[in-house]
């Protein structure tokens, strides 16, 4: 759909904003830049997907994003809760991912041994 | 704790790079609408000039002035080029921006086109970035579909298209004139400036060439205003800079810091200190064109002018941390090897000079150097600097000059004492067996690839120094710490 004038743009933006506000899913942002992929983000993503379907988790959205910059801890995942809180988890492996899913997605914990410090706002 | 400030990386890792909706939700295309419908091109250029934004590719030329120069030219056709030919070893800032937030670069290029009166944008990107290319292609398609690119953007009378050109990975093509030649299908060789690309660029038409990170800064500046941008960073270098922090540091990563942050803050607060608690030795900034920053300058605020003053340069943002185990002579040699590979060969001082320079360093690291070699190195460096045409040649001796400036004693140690204190230069090492500790287990002799270790079982062994190739196999195999390296 082509936007033909400024009003149409604002209308579209309002619509997008409304939809995003309505969205109360837990968002799992997985670092999927070249760096994340090289470090094994794809395997981690597969495990998360499997856990979500095995445990029948509802309202969880998996989103591939670019590099966040925590190269030392790749693959990394940021879990954003509907209330706006979020945690960044690092050093994920296919082995520890089920644990991470349980702690941070099912139990929504804000702390665990997987949390890495956030160094920017 | 020193916090990063994210402007260029504002959306990286936050939004889905393949969703234009998420980009719009993150204030995407607000700057374009502001520019197209509420401001004249010269007003937008004034905002950029007033913000003090300088080219993030490394040169630090004021972006606003570049745009103004191209806007002034009268021509039927003009071009906006995005330089995504990121080539410094260890640098991946631009890749992160393109992979994480491709729309922001497209939007900024469109604004640049509106400002200078160009209808065509080209992203020159290296073919080694397949994921960035894929995401850019997707983003261009989406932007066209929504009417953010193409004819009469959002109903205005401004039209703009963007296409991708792939670089084959030649380092020199990051130099703007060589880049333009490469797009024209010619050999990627630099040409003399002036005329600057802003006057005569691609196909002889006025052209601006800006780095990915520079473009990534444009939209926030237009939305928030130049005063906002000037509040961040230092007076002469406002804003932030993205660095790829690599080497012997605990938290390797991509960081965006306000200009004026010190190296100490970067290494010990953001980077989490040196690996294995070793001692910090130096940081190389500016890649093969830059120089090193040592302990004595660790508290210097990082900005364009300060780094130049201490013999390094901002560069595109690679930051390689070295500790006590790194040999500075060997390090300078590494960058020279890179330059030799990447010199386009047009100018003799760069093509031949760097090769000779490398040979001189090779002599030092193998213990074959004559005592008066340093003045010869310095003379050669200065010749290459002065007689090369483009930035690559002019800056290629910088790693050598800067390590000579700060680590002259290490060079002299190599030359006079035939000693490498970091034990990196293998030819200068000497493996010896301590007779008191050797119990004659024969393990070293059995594993030596050139069979230069002799001795009877249960009696101390001896290494024949003339035949030893310094491979270190005996050292790693000895279970009694009987072999020492000196």
């Amino acid at each position: 759909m082509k936007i033909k004038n400024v009003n149409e743009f604002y209308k579209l933006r309002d619509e997008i904003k409304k939809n995003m506000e309505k969205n109360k899913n837990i968002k799992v942002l997985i670092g999927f830049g070249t760096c994340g992929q090289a470090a094994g983000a794809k395997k981690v993503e597969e495990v998360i997907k499997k856990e979500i379907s095995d445990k029948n988790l509802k309202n969880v959205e998996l989103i591939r994003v670019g590099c966040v910059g925590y190269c030392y801890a790749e693959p990394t995942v940021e879990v954003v809760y509907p209330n706006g809180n979020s945690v960044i988890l690092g050093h994920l492996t296919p082995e520890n991912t089920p644990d991470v899913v349980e702690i941070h997605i099912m139990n929504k914990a804000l702390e665990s041994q997987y949390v890495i410090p956030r160094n920017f706002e | 704790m020193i916090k990063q400030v994210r402007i260029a990386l504002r959306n990286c890792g936050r939004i889905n790079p393949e969703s234009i909706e998420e980009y719009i939700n993150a204030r995407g295309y607000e700057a374009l609408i502001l520019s197209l419908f509420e401001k004249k091109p010269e007003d937008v250029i004034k905002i950029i000039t007033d913000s003090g934004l300088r080219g993030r590719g490394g040169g630090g030329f004021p972006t606003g002035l570049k745009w103004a120069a191209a806007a002034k030219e009268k021509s039927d056709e003009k071009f906006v080029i995005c330089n995504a030919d990121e080539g410094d070893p260890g640098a991946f800032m631009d890749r992160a921006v393109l992979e994480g937030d491709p729309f922001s670069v497209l939007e900024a290029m469109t604004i640049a086109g509106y400002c200078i009166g160009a209808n065509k944008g080209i992203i020159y990107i290296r073919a080694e970035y397949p994921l960035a290319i894929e995401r850019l292609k997707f983003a261009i398609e989406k932007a066209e579909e929504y009417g953010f690119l193409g004819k009469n953007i959002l109903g205005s009378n401004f039209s703009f298209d963007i296409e991708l050109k792939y670089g084959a990975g030649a380092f020199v093509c990051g130099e703007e004139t060589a880049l333009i030649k490469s797009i024209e299908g010619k050999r990627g060789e630099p040409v003399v400036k002036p005329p600057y690309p802003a006057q005569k660029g691609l196909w002889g038409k006025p052209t601006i060439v800006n780095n990915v990170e520079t473009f990534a800064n444009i939209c926030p500046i237009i939305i928030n205003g130049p005063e906002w941008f000037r509040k961040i960073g230092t007076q002469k270098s406002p804003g932030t800079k993205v660095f790829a922090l690599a080497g012997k540091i605990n938290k390797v990563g991509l960081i965006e810091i306000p200009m004026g942050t010190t190296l100490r803050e970067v290494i010990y607060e953001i980077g989490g200190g040196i690996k294995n608690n070793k001692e910090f030795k130096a940081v190389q900034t500016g890649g093969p064109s830059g120089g090193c920053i040592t302990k004595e300058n660790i508290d210097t605020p990082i900005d364009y002018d300060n780094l130049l003053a201490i013999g390094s340069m901002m560069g595109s943002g690679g930051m390689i941390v070295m500790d006590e185990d790194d040999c500075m002579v060997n390090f300078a040699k590494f960058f020279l090897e890179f330059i030799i590979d990447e010199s386009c060969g047009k100018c003799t001082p760069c093509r031949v000079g760097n090769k000779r320079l490398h040979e001189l360093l090779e002599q030092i690291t193998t213990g074959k150097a004559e005592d008066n070699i340093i003045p010869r190195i310095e003379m050669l460096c200065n010749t290459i600097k002065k007689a090369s045409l483009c930035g690559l040649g002019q800056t290629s001796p910088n790693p050598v000059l800067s390590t000579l400036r700060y680590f002259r004693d290490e060079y002299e140690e190599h030359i006079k004492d035939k000693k490498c204190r970091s034990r990196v230069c293998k030819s200068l090492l000497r493996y010896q067996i301590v007779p008191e500790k050797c119990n004659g287990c024969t393990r070293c002799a059995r594993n030596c690839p050139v069979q230069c270790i002799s001795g009877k079982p249960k009696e101390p062994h001896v290494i024949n120094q003339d035949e030893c190739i310094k491979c270190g196999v005996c050292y790693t195999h000895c279970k009694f710490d009987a072999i020492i390296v000196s």
Side-chain angles (χ1 to χ4, degrees):
Chain A
M1 55 145 268
K2 205 155 199 143
I3 304 170
K4 288 186 210 73
N5 54 52
V6 181
N7 289 338
E8 274 186 35
F9 171 80
Y10 288 127
K11 226 168 89 189
L12 172 77
R13 193 172 70 174
D14 289 344
E15 214 172 282
I16 292 170
K17 281 213 165 22
K18 226 184 269 163
N19 285 339
M20 297 230 171
E21 274 159 26
K22 252 193 259 163
N23 183 340
K24 293 290 175 205
N25 289 341
I26 294 179
K27 292 190 184 106
V28 181
L29 311 177
I30 177 156
F32 228 75
T34 299
C35 39
Q37 292 191 26
K42 196 147 195 200
K43 283 209 172 111
V44 168
E45 186 193 38
E46 278 164 18
V47 177
I48 298 177
K49 266 190 192 154
K50 187 169 175 293
E51 290 293 307
I52 290 176
S53 77
D54 284 2
K55 299 194 166 125
N56 203 15
L57 302 179
K58 294 277 185 297
N59 308 323
V60 181
E61 210 179 317
L62 202 56
I63 302 165
R64 291 179 176 184
V65 297
C67 165
V68 208
Y70 301 106
C71 311
Y72 71 98
E74 290 284 357
T76 58
V77 155
E78 180 170 4
V79 182
V80 185
Y81 303 107
N83 63 6
N85 285 343
S86 76
V87 282
I88 300 179
L89 314 161
H91 304 288
L92 299 194
T93 62
E95 289 74 36
N96 67 20
T97 300
D99 199 24
V100 170
V101 171
E102 192 174 321
I103 297 174
H104 293 287
I105 299 180
M106 294 172 71
N107 298 332
K108 302 187 182 61
L110 293 179
E111 271 169 50
S112 81
Q113 71 269 36
Y114 304 110
V115 175
I116 57 170
R118 180 189 297 270
N119 57 10
F120 62 95
E121 289 307 319
Chain B
M1 165 134 182
I2 295 296
K3 292 263 179 188
Q4 301 184 41
V5 177
R6 298 214 157 179
I7 300 175
L9 298 176
R10 63 194 179 280
N11 290 330
C12 287
R14 291 282 176 83
I15 65 166
N16 179 351
E18 298 191 354
S19 160
I20 198 166
E21 286 90 358
E22 286 198 26
Y23 180 67
I24 292 174
N25 190 47
R27 306 191 75 173
Y29 289 110
E30 219 171 279
L32 179 66
I33 287 184
L34 218 68
S35 307
L36 283 185
F37 298 100
E38 286 171 37
K39 290 187 169 36
K40 284 187 223 137
E42 54 267 33
D43 301 334
V44 183
I45 294 178
K46 189 167 181 308
I47 292 176
I48 303 298
T49 311
D50 289 347
S51 77
L53 175 67
R54 297 170 68 173
R56 295 293 193 252
F61 190 80
T63 307
L65 295 186
K66 206 183 238 186
W67 290 19
K72 206 174 63 192
E73 295 293 318
K74 299 248 177 304
S75 172
D76 56 335
E77 218 180 0
K78 295 182 187 178
F79 296 99
V80 174
I81 295 177
C82 171
N83 183 348
D85 189 55
E86 189 171 45
D88 280 4
F92 51 90
M93 301 75 53
D94 296 348
R95 189 186 72 201
V97 172
L98 294 172
E99 286 179 2
D101 194 14
F103 289 105
S104 73
V105 176
L106 302 185
E107 185 186 353
M109 286 178 73
T110 314
I111 294 170
Y114 172 70
C115 288
I116 70 163
N119 299 112
K120 179 105 197 141
I122 295 165
I123 302 177
Y124 187 85
I125 183 167
R126 47 190 303 172
E128 291 99 323
Y129 281 178
L131 184 65
I133 290 173
E134 191 188 308
R135 293 207 172 138
L136 272 174
K137 273 186 177 164
F138 183 85
I140 290 172
E141 229 168 77
K142 272 280 155 196
E144 282 169 351
E145 188 188 315
Y146 277 73
F148 293 118
L149 280 176
K151 268 209 159 68
N152 297 68
I153 292 171
L154 303 173
S156 70
N157 48 20
F158 174 65
S159 304
F160 195 74
D161 286 304
I162 294 178
E163 71 170 298
L164 299 183
K165 283 275 177 198
Y166 307 132
F171 183 65
V172 72
C173 288
E175 200 279 342
E176 56 182 6
T177 60
L179 185 151
I180 288 170
K181 289 281 162 254
S182 169
I183 294 179
E184 289 174 348
K186 298 179 185 132
R187 285 178 73 149
E189 288 180 348
V191 291
V192 186
K193 290 191 275 192
Y196 290 94
Q199 286 116 30
K200 270 184 179 218
L202 184 61
W203 312 114
K205 310 279 184 185
T207 303
I208 54 166
V209 183
N210 282 129
N211 171 265
V212 173
E213 194 188 329
T214 312
F215 278 125
N217 275 293
I218 297 291
C219 299
I221 292 175
I222 292 174
I223 293 175
N224 301 311
E227 300 80 22
W228 164 81
F229 193 69
R230 279 207 168 270
K231 279 196 198 119
I232 306 160
T234 63
Q235 222 230 310
K236 279 180 152 180
S237 309
T240 59
K241 178 79 192 83
V242 183
F243 286 101
L245 200 53
K248 307 281 181 63
I249 189 140
N250 278 322
K251 292 183 178 171
V252 169
L254 200 66
I255 60 169
E256 182 167 356
I257 48 169
M259 297 275 192
T261 307
T262 67
L263 207 52
R264 184 186 299 279
E265 291 164 335
V266 170
I267 294 172
Y268 291 100
E269 296 188 38
I270 297 172
I274 307 291
K275 263 188 189 160
N276 303 320
N277 284 321
K278 296 255 180 179
E279 203 180 321
F280 166 75
K281 191 170 195 175
V283 158
Q284 171 82 11
T285 63
S289 310
C292 55
I293 308 171
T294 56
K295 236 181 282 175
E296 60 184 281
N297 290 318
I298 196 168
D299 290 311
T300 307
I302 298 170
D303 71 7
Y304 292 96
D305 310 290
N306 283 344
L307 289 190
L308 276 180
I310 57 175
S312 184
M313 68 182 258
M314 181 72 79
S316 62
M319 209 180 237
I320 303 171
V321 181
M322 287 166 283
D323 68 6
E324 49 189 304
D325 291 339
D326 288 300
C327 166
M328 300 315 285
V329 186
N330 191 61
F331 182 74
K333 207 176 79 178
F334 165 79
F335 277 115
L336 262 186
E337 275 159 26
F338 182 82
I339 293 290
I340 291 171
D341 278 348
E342 295 294 347
S343 169
C344 74
K346 181 168 177 162
C347 313
T348 317
C350 174
R351 181 185 70 241
V352 183
N354 279 313
K355 185 102 181 119
R356 294 289 96 87
L357 191 55
H358 181 263
E359 285 166 6
L360 291 177
L361 290 191
E362 182 78 27
Q363 286 176 12
I364 296 181
T365 57
T366 52
K368 290 174 189 148
E370 290 167 14
D371 280 358
N372 64 347
I373 196 167
I374 291 186
R376 284 173 61 203
I377 289 180
E378 283 171 331
M379 198 175 80
L380 184 51
C381 286
N382 288 325
T383 310
I384 298 170
K385 250 179 124 102
K386 284 186 189 139
S388 300
L389 177 65
C390 83
L392 187 142
Q394 285 161 7
T395 57
S396 60
N398 279 358
V400 179
L401 285 172
S402 116
T403 48
L404 256 178
R405 175 167 164 188
Y406 292 109
F407 298 97
R408 205 181 180 95
D409 52 334
E410 228 171 278
Y411 274 82
E412 281 167 354
E413 229 169 59
H414 278 78
I415 298 163
K416 297 200 176 105
D417 308 336
K418 313 284 178 214
K419 197 181 137 197
C420 173
R421 65 172 82 168
S422 317
R423 298 177 181 178
V424 172
C425 302
K426 281 202 165 162
S427 314
L428 301 183
L429 297 182
R430 211 178 140 85
Y431 288 88
Q432 272 176 311
I433 296 175
V434 184
E436 296 78 42
K437 283 193 176 173
C438 178
N439 62 9
C441 75
T442 73
R443 200 177 153 91
C444 58
R446 277 183 284 127
N447 283 293
C448 175
V450 290
Q451 278 116 33
C452 74
I453 304 178
S454 55
K456 287 184 186 149
K458 295 189 180 162
E459 280 175 25
H461 281 48
V462 182
I463 299 174
N464 180 350
Q465 295 298 335
D466 295 336
E467 284 174 36
C468 176
I469 57 165
K470 285 134 193 177
C471 65
V473 165
C474 53
Y475 180 80
T476 44
H477 275 89
C478 182
K479 290 192 166 168
F480 306 96
D481 295 328
I483 295 177
I484 52 163
V485 197
S486 58

